[in-house]
Amino acid sequence: MHSRPAGKVHVWWLPLPTSKGSTDRFWDVLSCEERIRADRFVTNEARDRFVVTRGTLRMLLAARLGGDPQALDLRFGSLGKPEVPNANVWFNVSHTPGLAVIAISRASPVGIDVERIDPSVDVVGVARLAFGKARGSELSHLRGPDRITNFFKAWVEEEARVKMVGGSIATTISGEAMTDLEVVALEPPRVGFAAALAGRGPLEVVVERDRS
């Protein structure tokens, strides 16, 4: 039983890609470094996905912290987790072709992940490498859509859990660092995606409609 009040986490869904020319207002709030990074993407789809997601994140954070979105000191910590130094706010972002999601909390660190479900993935092989032979064997006994769905559900939950502290699934995290976590399955607004949110429970998820 949790002894502390629920930590409220605000979640915004960003359907992607956007219409042509609609990335301009997001580009205008990016830092010089972020614009350079955006121009390095090979495809326009990947570039626009980054621009819209990062621009929206800056707008949302500025609305809560005050100030100019472009001037916001948004940086990455030692474990690769984005942060605003000395600000009492925690956030995380994830995007995949077709959809992005942003989570912001005033309570504690959060991690979030969304993935487009791809039936062509060798889910049993990947599961054995990422989660161990036991998990891979469990999936091998499932058939068709159930196998694919269960794999991606497990994947986003693990990614959200690890992103909560910073890093990736390949990162080795001690058991102590991963205690007191709650993982919540999210319902994406589009069919064909899986998503999850991790944080220090209990969690209260608030899905927002307004991006401002």
Side-chain angles (χ1 to χ4, degrees), residues 12-101:
W12 289 262
W13 294 104
L14 312 177
L16 302 170
T18 57
S19 59
K20 185 177 180 181
S22 63
T23 62
D24 291 349
R25 70 187 185 100
F26 302 105
W27 177 268
D28 290 342
V29 303
L30 299 185
S31 67
C32 291
E33 291 80 7
E34 289 167 339
R35 292 179 181 181
I36 292 173
R37 179 179 173 184
D39 283 336
R40 289 175 179 164
F41 284 98
V42 176
T43 67
N44 288 334
E45 180 187 4
R47 175 188 180 277
D48 291 349
R49 195 162 66 231
F50 171 80
V51 170
V52 172
T53 305
R54 185 57 59 90
T56 302
L57 174 63
R58 283 186 167 275
M59 293 175 183
L60 291 172
L61 289 174
R64 282 144 187 79
L65 299 175
D68 181 2
Q70 188 180 39
L72 195 69
D73 186 13
L74 182 58
R75 61 178 68 177
F76 290 90
S78 59
L79 291 175
K81 189 175 175 67
E83 63 183 19
V84 177
N86 304 315
N88 186 31
V89 63
W90 292 270
F91 54 92
N92 205 234
V93 174
S94 180
H95 53 78
T96 190
L99 191 64
V101 64

Side-chain angles (χ1 to χ4, degrees), residues 131 135 149-159 161:
F131 308 133
R135 183 58 174 152
T149 300
N150 275 271
F151 166 78
F152 277 97
K153 180 177 181 293
W155 182 272
V156 295
E157 288 178 353
E158 186 65 18
E159 272 284 11
R161 188 179 292 113

Side-chain angles (χ1 to χ4, degrees), residues 113-131:
D113 191 57
V114 60
E115 297 290 343
R116 184 172 61 180
I117 297 174
D118 183 358
S120 68
V121 173
D122 176 14
V123 296
V124 175
V126 176
R128 283 172 174 161
L129 290 173
F131 308 133

